[in-house]
Amino acid sequence: MTEAAPKKEQRRKFQAIRGTRDLLPPDTALWNHVEETAHAVFGTFGFGEIRPPIFEPTELFARSIGQDTDVVSKEMYSFEDFESSALLDYRNAILIWKAEPIGSGPPGILGTGASAQYKPFADRLANFFVLAREAFEKGNVPRTPENESFLKFFEGEMQSFHAKIQSQTIAVLENTVQSLKERSRALKFGDSLTLRPEATASVCRAYIEHNMQQLPQPQKLYYIGPMFRRERPQKGRYRQFYQIGAEVLENVKPDPTRDAAKELAKDAITDAELIQMLMTFFDRLKLPGVQLEINSIGHAADNCRRGYVALLKSELEKVKDKLGADSQRRIETNPLRVLDSKLEHEQPIIATLPKIADHLCDDCKTHYAAVKRELELRGVFYKENWRLVRGLDYYMRTTFEITAQGLGSQNAVCGGGRYDGLVELLGGPPTKGIGFAIGEDRLILSLQEAKDQSLVTSHQPPFVYIAWMGANAYAAAVHAAKDLRAAGTRVELPPVEQKFGKALERASKLGAQYALILGDNEVAEGTWTLKTLADGTQQKFTEPHLLDFLKKL
Ligand code: AMP
C-alpha cells in the first residue's frame, strides 16, 4: 500500500514574504564586513552600541515621525498586543455566529418562535459585553477614552438589538448582526505595537528611560538592525531592510550665562564630526561614487523656516495648476516636500522657487556657515543642495544625504539631520540631537556593483581542505583540523575517505586555496604535504611549520 498523497496545503512551498529576503553566504560575509567596519570606525569616534527592541508602542512612532507622513499613515506594521484570551474567545463567538435556517418563505416579521433564533446572538453579545466591561474596570484592556466610548455605545446597541428581535424583519436583523460583528472588533484588547520603521525614536525613548542626561554629555550611540516599512518593493527598497545609524544626544541645562555664539559653534562641530565619521566609514569600505549633499532648513520660527514655508506656499499656489497631483496635495500638507519632487516637468518650476538659504534667521545662518567651515577643516567634500529637506517638523538646521553609485533611482544610502527638541516631544528633558541612518541593503548593493571587491575578499582566512586516506591519517587529520582552526584557518574535513583525485576535485569546487594531503606515509614521516590548488605546486611541512606558513598568509 502506498501512503495517501499529501494534501495540497501540505505540499505548499513557503516563500519569504514579499519585500523580505534571505541574506545568504557568501553575501553575508560582506554584510559582516560592513558591520565590523561600522563597529570599528564608530568606536574610534567614541560611539557605543545600543540595541533597542524591534517593536515599540505605535504612539512612539506616530508622535516622533508624525501622523501625516507616509511612514506613519500607511507603511507601519502594527498589531495589537494582549493577553486576554477569554475576551478573544467571546468575540470570536460573535464573529462566527450564524442564524439557524428557518423554514422557507419570504423574509417577514418574526414570530415569537423565530425571535428565539436570534436570541443566542443576543446572549453572545451580552457575554462579551460583561467580560469586556469587567476587563476595562480592572485595567486588563487599555483604559483609553476610545474603549470607554466603545463600551457605552455597545451597551446601547445591544439593548436595541434585544428590542429589534421582537419586531424587525429578518433582513433588518441580518444587517444589524453584521454591523454588530464589525463593531465588536473596535474594542482594543491591548496596546497597539509597531515593528520599528526607524530607530531614532527608540534611541530617544531609551535616552529618556535610562536617564542618560545624567551621564556625561553628549551621549553618542549607534545601532545596526532591521527596520520595517510596507513600501512598494523594488531594487534597493524592501519591506524589511537594515539600517546602520548613529545619534548624538545632549542635554541642555538652563544656563542664563550661556554664550549663544559659542553654543552655535559647538553644535556645528558636533554636526561636522558626525558627518566626518560617516564619510570615514564609507571611505574605509571603498564605497564607489560617494556624494555628500548638505543643507540647512533653519528652525521652526516665524523669522526662519515658518516664514519661508509660508512664502513657499504662496508661491506654490501661483503655479499649482502646473504641478502634479502629489505636489498639489503637498502644498497643503507639507510644502517643503514639494522640493523633493523628481517629476521631470516640475523641475523648471521648482528651480524658480524661493530658496531657504535666503530666509534663514541670523543664528541658523551662522550655524550653517560654521558647519561648512568645520567640514572643510576636516577635508570633507560636500555639495550644497537647497532642495534637500526632511519632511518632519522636528528636523532643524543641518540636513544631509549621501548617494552612491550603482543603485539606479534608489541611490540614497544615507540620510540625516539635526533634531533638537525631539526628546522633549517624547516627554524627556530639553535635549539637542543629530543623527543619520544608512540603508545597509543599498550600501551592500553598491559595494557589490563595484568591480573591486579585493578589500572584502582579502579578509577571508586561508581555506584548507584536508585530503586524508587511511585510519591513521584520519586521526592525524582530526588533530590537524583542530590546530589549524585554532590558528584561524578555515578547514574542511571530509567525513568519508576519498581518493586523492576526488578529494582535490571537491576541494576546488568548494573554493579551497589549499589541499592538505595526509596519507599513512605522511603520518609515519611526520611531514605533511600542502598543495596550492591554483597552480598545483606542493610543499612539505612539519605541523609547526605549516601553522606558521598559514598564519602568515
Ligand atoms: P530614512 O530613515 O527614510 O531617512 O532612510 C534612511 C536610509 O535608509 C535611506 O537613505 C535608504 O538608504 C534606507 N532606506 C529607507 N527605506 C528603505 C527601504 N524600504 N528599503 C531599503 N532601504 C531603505
Side-chain angles (χ1 to χ4, degrees):
M1 283 285 291
T2 54
E3 281 180 27
K7 287 201 188 110
K8 207 164 180 195
E9 308 87 81
Q10 287 168 340
R11 278 185 283 134
R12 175 180 162 208
K13 259 206 225 151
F14 289 107
Q15 283 188 330
I17 302 290
R18 195 167 118 85
T20 73
R21 61 206 181 119
D22 300 303
L23 305 173
L24 301 170
D27 292 355
T28 36
L30 183 53
W31 282 77
N32 283 326
H33 171 63
V34 163
E35 289 170 13
E36 278 155 20
T37 308
H39 292 300
V41 172
F42 297 176
T44 63
F45 280 77
F47 281 68
E49 187 185 4
I50 175 170
R51 298 191 187 196
I54 301 271
F55 52 89
E56 300 266 8
T58 303
E59 178 63 18
L60 176 70
F61 302 115
R63 211 176 323 156
S64 61
I65 303 172
Q67 291 280 8
D68 295 336
T69 55
D70 285 355
V71 170
V72 171
S73 64
K74 52 187 190 207
E75 294 172 0
M76 295 207 299
Y77 286 98
S78 301
F79 57 96
E80 218 178 293
D81 185 39
F82 58 90
E83 290 174 15
S84 168
S85 65
L87 255 182
L88 185 67
D89 288 344
Y90 278 83
R91 181 161 70 188
N92 282 340
I94 292 175
L95 293 174
I96 60 174
W97 188 83
K98 266 201 184 101
E100 289 291 330
I102 45 168
S104 56
I109 303 288
L110 290 169
T112 30
S115 80
Q117 203 191 343
Y118 282 86
K119 174 103 179 5
F121 186 69
D123 290 344
R124 289 182 187 202
L125 293 178
N127 287 337
F128 174 63
F129 176 75
V130 168
L131 202 70
R133 192 171 51 193
E134 191 184 299
F136 182 83
E137 273 156 16
K138 285 190 183 152
N140 293 342
V141 299
R143 295 178 61 95
T144 56
E146 290 80 13
N147 272 352
E148 190 169 12
S149 63
F150 165 84
L151 287 172
K152 268 202 197 110
F153 184 79
F154 202 71
E155 189 172 21
E157 294 275 294
M158 216 169 56
Q159 282 159 359
S160 79
F161 184 70
H162 248 294
K164 276 183 189 169
I165 53 179
Q166 305 300 334
S167 59
Q168 290 291 344
T169 62
I170 289 184
V172 169
L173 284 177
E174 276 304 312
N175 270 339
T176 316
V177 164
Q178 281 317 316
S179 101
L180 280 166
K181 283 184 177 183
E182 278 312 307
R183 293 275 180 221
S184 73
R185 291 179 196 271
L187 178 73
K188 293 273 177 268
F189 291 177
D191 297 321
S192 174
L193 304 184
T194 291
L195 299 185
R196 63 183 186 193
E198 55 111 59
T200 302
S202 303
V203 176
C204 291
R205 197 249 325 120
Y207 180 89
I208 300 167
E209 185 171 337
H210 303 288
N211 286 317
M212 289 192 203
Q213 76 276 10
Q214 286 167 8
L215 303 173
Q217 301 296 297
Q219 280 290 298
K220 301 193 274 188
L221 299 164
Y222 74 94
Y223 58 83
I224 301 177
M227 308 294 155
F228 306 85
R229 295 182 198 172
R230 196 185 283 105
E231 294 199 84
R232 197 169 51 78
Q234 63 183 92
K235 183 184 171 194
R237 194 194 275 163
Y238 310 98
R239 291 184 164 184
Q240 175 174 340
F241 61 100
Y242 293 77
Q243 282 188 339
I244 301 177
E247 319 287 348
V248 182
L249 295 168
E250 182 177 10
N251 183 229
V252 187
K253 298 225 163 60
D255 174 8
T257 62
R258 185 186 298 275
D259 178 337
K262 266 197 191 147
E263 220 28 56
L264 288 171
K266 193 183 79 178
D267 292 351
I269 293 175
T270 304
D271 298 7
E273 283 270 305
L274 184 79
I275 296 174
Q276 183 187 17
M277 173 170 98
L278 192 52
M279 300 311 277
T280 307
F281 170 63
F282 288 143
D283 200 44
R284 193 72 61 83
L285 289 173
K286 297 205 168 82
L287 185 68
V290 179
Q291 266 229 21
L292 164 69
E293 294 189 343
I294 62 167
N295 191 22
S296 173
I297 55 164
H299 77 297
D302 289 341
N303 66 342
C304 199
R305 185 171 65 231
R306 266 208 295 269
Y308 169 72
V309 171
L311 174 70
L312 183 67
K313 194 169 172 194
S314 72
E315 291 300 311
L316 284 168
E317 299 284 2
K318 293 182 197 159
V319 292
K320 188 170 178 179
D321 295 346
K322 297 185 198 147
L323 299 172
D326 278 348
S327 292
Q328 289 195 1
R329 189 167 35 81
R330 284 177 178 153
I331 297 177
E332 295 311 318
T333 58
N334 197 342
L336 278 178
R337 288 287 311 280
V338 175
L339 305 181
D340 263 350
S341 161
K342 305 260 181 330
L343 280 186
E344 195 82 36
H345 83 273
E346 292 184 348
Q347 302 309 308
I349 305 169
I350 293 172
T352 62
L353 292 170
K355 318 229 172 336
I356 192 161
D358 302 328
H359 302 272
L360 294 177
C361 68
D362 288 345
D363 278 1
C364 287
K365 262 189 202 146
T366 306
H367 173 265
Y368 188 35
V371 170
K372 290 187 276 186
R373 222 174 28 246
E374 291 295 337
L375 286 175
E376 283 152 28
L377 183 65
R378 286 164 178 74
V380 174
F381 294 105
Y382 61 83
K383 209 174 111 191
E384 285 183 78
N385 177 1
W386 70 274
R387 288 174 53 178
L388 191 66
V389 295
R390 309 240 96 199
L392 316 178
D393 262 2
Y394 64 72
Y395 274 110
M396 63 171 314
R397 295 190 178 146
T398 310
T399 57
F400 54 95
E401 187 169 278
I402 291 158
T403 51
Q405 250 172 34
L407 295 172
S409 62
Q410 305 298 321
N411 65 350
V413 284
C414 174
R418 177 166 276 279
Y419 51 80
D420 299 1
L422 176 58
V423 169
E424 225 173 332
L425 184 74
L426 297 175
T431 308
K432 294 181 182 183
I434 179 163
F436 63 74
I438 299 167
E440 193 177 358
D441 305 71
R442 294 189 194 171
L443 172 58
I444 301 273
L445 268 176
S446 179
L447 288 172
Q448 284 170 335
E449 296 279 323
K451 300 227 163 46
D452 177 18
Q453 283 202 45
S454 53
L455 185 92
V456 177
T457 43
S458 70
H459 275 256
Q460 306 292 333
F463 179 3
V464 175
Y465 188 93
I466 303 187
W468 59 270
M469 256 188 28
N472 289 341
Y474 173 67
V478 170
H479 182 74
K482 186 174 173 191
D483 288 351
L484 289 174
R485 284 171 178 150
T489 305
R490 175 177 165 192
V491 175
E492 202 61 41
L493 179 71
V496 289
E497 194 172 49
Q498 292 164 323
K499 296 229 161 61
F500 282 128
K502 189 103 198 264
L504 294 181
E505 208 175 282
R506 188 162 160 77
S508 298
K509 213 179 245 173
L510 290 176
Q513 290 138 294
Y514 303 98
L516 180 62
I517 297 170
L518 279 184
D520 288 341
N521 283 348
E522 279 83 1
V523 174
E525 280 173 23
T527 55
W528 303 351
T529 305
L530 190 73
K531 191 178 182 77
T532 305
L533 292 168
D535 58 14
T537 55
Q538 298 195 161
Q539 279 176 278
K540 288 202 166 205
F541 291 99
T542 60
E543 185 183 353
H545 284 136
L546 176 71
L547 288 177
D548 266 358
F549 173 79
L550 291 171
K551 261 189 220 155
K552 283 190 195 123
L553 289 176

